[in-house]
Amino acid sequence: MAAKLSSDLRSGALVYHSHPKPGKLEIKATKPLGNQRDLALAYSPGVAAACEAIAADPAEAARLTIRQNLVAVLSNGTAVLGLGDIGPLAAKPVMEGKAVLFKKFAGIDVFDIEVAEHDPQRLINVVAALEPTFGGVNLEDIKAPECFEIEEQLRERMSIPVFHDDQHGTAIIVAAAVTNGLALAGKDIANVKIVASGAGAAALACLNLLVSLGAKRENIWVTDLEGVVYEGRPVLMDRWKAIFAQNTDKRTLADVIPGADIFLGVSAGGVLKPELLAAMAPRPLIMALANPYPEIMPDEAEKARPDAMICTGRSDFPNQVNNVLCFPFIFRGALDVAATTINEEMKLAAAHAIAALAREAPSDMVATSGGGAQPFGPRSLIPNPFDPRLILRIAPAVAKAAMDTGVATRPLADVKAYADSLTRFVFRSGFVMKPLISRARENPMRVIYAEGEDERVLRAVQAIVEDGLAHPILVGRPAVVESRIKRFGLTIRQGVDFDLTNPEDDPRYRDYVAAYLDVAGRKGITPDAARTLVRTNNTVIAAIAVRRGDADAMICGLEGRFQSRLRHIGDIIGLAPGIKEMSALSLVITSKGPFFIADTHVRQDPNAEELADMAIACASHVARFGMEPQMAMLSHSDFGSSDSPSARKMRAALELVRERAPDLVIDGEMAADTALSEMVRDKVYPNARIKGAANVLIMPNLDAANIAFQMTRAVADALPVGPILIGPAQPAHIVTPSVTARGIVNITAIAVVEAQEHARNRLASAAT
């Protein structure tokens, strides 16, 4: 394969692997080591306590070490990609790459291990001796047939999962594709004829798993370099291949392919000639998985058989059979129940979960990954490798299968709760947003989306409907919305899953114009301007809907300027009682936790009075997330170290907050590092009210807040939520043009919870 790389790709790959530091991995400490006490706890003498606990009870290793989340990716370099036996050292970049995928997709830590050993028995002894280190072993790039014996013996000797991904990962994806392909073709797996080209590790594993799915051995024909695998063949045979030997006088691929429903190619490029396809059964499934050149190129196969469904191993064609679809998530599920093995039932559970996911509506994250997001069909038999829901479907299925078959040594108490917990790997906002999402589901409210034709809104609405978060209302033209729903492969339906407000033809048009003039007629809005805006400005339409009670909350801002949207909301919806001006609170979720920053979008240079109002309002919003606000009034000054106007302003604001809301945990003025580090704060002012890191940062002006927000997003790879608009009389939020579909889902949950509280308050007021 290396010889086929373009010069551009080759040079780019070498730069990628060498800069800014060699390789793709590093070891990162998860505990502090900043003083003598930390050293005593991490190493001698404190570490003895952990050692003694594990010696007394080996199960404690899962609690006191990383073992239960640590996998060995191990190879002897005898079958590396398409490069062959290039040795363990040259295999190291591949093993590092596998480690990165484990971490990226499933949060699993990996040590890559390259062993200079060709003798299978000695390699088995080496791997078996490593069992105390790992929660599982992923064997990789070991040539057949030795790989069968190595895995078989290791599974017998070790009480942790041992998984040869070249075999079983490919087999699981193939099984999922076959399940869906046969469903589309209307065929029963028990009756189909399968012809395989290739009889190595992957091919035989695929065939064995298809047999577990219901395929009949007598309907399976295997070919390799020597032709058809038949009973009594004297060369290139082994006990694993012999299982599929047929009693036949047929000797070539051309002899056995007539009538085949499935072609499984795990061999070499070009072996399946176009003329052979004509003899296959109707609606055949062609799995040409050789890399980089498939057994037949898809365009050739489509020309010869337009009714064929085609899978390859390449990312530049539809239906990519890619092991990353399953191996991280199979290990995630197996590790989380401390499974002693990965058995056939667990593999089948993964295959069924993958097949079922392909039949769901495409994910918005797939659309933005550059991988495409086609609805289920002949060109979308299996999910895209970037579908974030893979872990949510596969890991719980594997964990449950492990429990059902008795190989889980730490069974889950609640599989559904476990599945919910996996959202931390999909959406980093998952845990932070969970309290609001749970509350939103309890009583979904009507949320109107000003940019209802936008792809991100439509994808968000798909998720919102599936999760039961809200009753969506889209502002948009019916024909445009319907065509885009179809184009993106979504399943939401107008009048069933969402309502539609057509700006070009809504029966409430005159009423909306009258309502707009009623609130904005004295703010320079003429009747002609009102009529035009209610036809053309979707933010105005959404705001009027909220004011009139046709919707409970609104979301806008995917297009246009923030300030113009803010002005319309202020003119139409107005301010909540006691609020003099709106402000914006932005949440950033970092590896060190969530932080709220105010005011990131509205107030240019608030005075002390306005800062105090803002801080008190922010506290109630933060409390909705189930967090106790730990608030810091930020400045360049630390507790009186400067007497600049800005520092005096923040001190004055603090005093006003303490007068009006004495129970709030707030302190300042202080520098950012003082707010975020208790150790730093104790050196400056040990009597501060804040404990730990502050989670609400009140900035002295908009410049400081917005710069901090944007820098945190860029430098810390933080996930933004919001901005959360504080102060409108009814729930209204203005997202930014860079928002993702998931960001819209998050702000929807916030808006729904606000609308719930607004409705309760309105009922309470009416009752009194």
Side-chain angles (χ1 to χ4, degrees), residues 403-426:
M403 293 161 57
D404 292 345
T405 55
V407 299
T409 62
R410 196 171 61 245
L412 301 169
D414 186 337
V415 175
K416 185 179 185 304
Y418 168 67
D420 288 343
S421 75
L422 294 171
T423 58
R424 69 189 187 273
F425 298 114
V426 180

Side-chain angles (χ1 to χ4, degrees), residues 59 98 120 162 207 272 329 337 377 452 455 473 501 570 595 617 627 639 675:
K98 197 72 176 279
V162 178
L207 296 175
L272 182 62
F329 318 120
V337 295
E455 177 182 355
I473 304 168
T501 296
F595 300 95
M627 292 184 243
F639 298 99

Side-chain angles (χ1 to χ4, degrees), residues 343-363:
N343 58 29
E344 202 73 3
E345 291 82 0
M346 294 161 75
K347 289 184 281 185
L348 285 172
H352 288 307
I354 293 166
L357 177 57
R359 298 191 291 269
E360 296 185 31
S363 160

